[in-house]
Amino acid sequence: MSKEFNCDYAVSSEIAHMCKVAKGPNHGPAPLPEEGKWVQAKEIKDISGLTHGVGWCAPQQGACKLTLNVKDGVIQEALVETIGCSGMTHSAAMAAEILAGKTILEALNTDLVCDAINTAMRELFLQIVYGRTQSAFSEGGLVIGAGLEDLGKGSRSQVGTMYSTVAKGVRYLEMAEGYVTGMALDENDQVIGYEFVSLGKMTDFIKKGDDPNTAYEKAKGKYGRFDDAVKVIDPRKE
């Protein structure tokens, strides 16, 4: 039995008296697809990619959609979108300040104020370090600002809010296009379209000098067979 034993860490007496068996081939970690390259990630700085995902709080009363753009292990861009909890919006404001500039390992081990945001960070960490990103096969990855572009014109989150009862049927309140102002019904009282106003566009028009009424009219739009409606109702009042 060889008496040679070299180790940087403390070991038990049983291990100390064992002979050394040479290690065979070591091919390293499995390659991950990262921004158009195959990378054998060994350290946090080896990780890059843009992705997004959803987290939820412990009582599942609110959710957060988190978008991260990571370059060489560091979060360069963070988009935090929340729904269902008023307190979560303020938590998102703090989390957005916290996230940018941290490594993804730091961010994973940082209190991001809200359970839903922390959960989203955990889920995104797993996606990113396993190479399951939106930019996995995009050569050079996505530029900083790609996350903001996901919001579209007006820089507003895409939100869908619908409500229905057995007694009175469905009400469309908010669509991706904007705030629903009218629902178009046919002769059978079935929905055939809706009218909406894009609040982001409306606000931009006002900032550029339009009066509110003009901005409101310019930001309106229609979807479906709205012009064929037998009746148009206000989904919040009628």
Side-chain angles (χ1 to χ4, degrees):
M1 181 184 295
S2 170
K3 296 295 183 183
E4 287 188 18
F5 185 81
N6 295 310
C7 183
D8 294 332
Y9 306 102
V11 298
S12 67
S13 58
E14 290 84 358
I15 297 298
H17 288 91
M18 289 181 179
C19 64
K20 185 172 182 178
V21 176
K23 187 174 184 177
N26 179 11
H27 301 296
L32 301 174
E34 291 186 20
E35 302 192 337
K37 299 181 294 183
W38 290 96
V39 178
Q40 286 186 298
K42 297 181 180 180
E43 301 178 27
I44 289 296
K45 66 180 180 63
D46 297 328
I47 301 294
S48 294
L50 179 143
T51 196
H52 40 226
V54 175
W56 52 95
C57 60
Q60 300 183 19
Q61 293 175 349
C64 164
K65 180 188 175 187
L66 181 61
T67 303
L68 299 178
N69 197 349
V70 178
K71 303 288 186 184
D72 300 320
V74 178
I75 297 170
Q76 300 292 333
E77 177 184 17
L79 171 64
V80 189
E81 302 172 81
T82 62
I83 189 169
C85 172
S86 57
M88 195 186 296
T89 62
H90 296 272
S91 299
M94 290 182 276
E97 289 193 55
I98 292 168
L99 285 165
K102 284 189 177 290
T103 70
I104 54 173
L105 185 59
E106 285 181 294
L108 181 68
N109 290 287
T110 298
D111 182 4
L112 299 175
V113 189
C114 167
D115 278 353
I117 305 172
N118 285 319
T119 302
M121 182 65 229
R122 180 194 71 197
E123 297 301 311
L124 259 63
F125 180 87
L126 294 175
Q127 289 184 34
I128 294 168
V129 298
Y130 287 147
R132 273 67 168 178
T133 64
Q134 308 300 311
S135 58
F137 298 103
S138 301
E139 188 174 356
L142 299 179
V143 299
I144 310 305
L148 187 62
E149 291 174 3
D150 195 43
L151 293 177
K153 293 181 180 179
S155 297
R156 285 176 58 86
S157 297
Q158 297 185 56
V159 178
T161 307
M162 313 300 156
Y163 179 72
S164 67
T165 61
V166 172
K168 298 296 182 178
V170 70
R171 296 295 187 275
Y172 298 174
L173 303 175
E174 187 102 13
M175 289 285 191
E177 300 96 332
Y179 178 98
V180 177
T181 55
M183 288 174 55
L185 307 182
D186 65 11
E187 63 276 7
N188 299 313
D189 287 335
Q190 294 182 337
V191 183
I192 58 172
Y194 55 87
E195 185 180 51
F196 62 88
V197 59
S198 172
L199 297 180
K201 290 182 181 179
M202 177 180 168
T203 304
D204 286 341
F205 288 141
I206 293 173
K207 287 193 293 186
K208 290 178 181 178
D210 286 346
D211 67 85
N213 288 333
T214 300
Y216 178 79
E217 291 300 324
K218 287 171 67 174
K220 286 170 69 173
K222 303 172 185 177
Y223 183 84
R225 296 189 292 118
F226 187 84
D227 292 334
D228 297 333
V230 172
K231 178 167 56 176
V232 175
I233 65 170
D234 180 339
R236 293 169 176 79
K237 303 293 184 181
E238 297 178 76

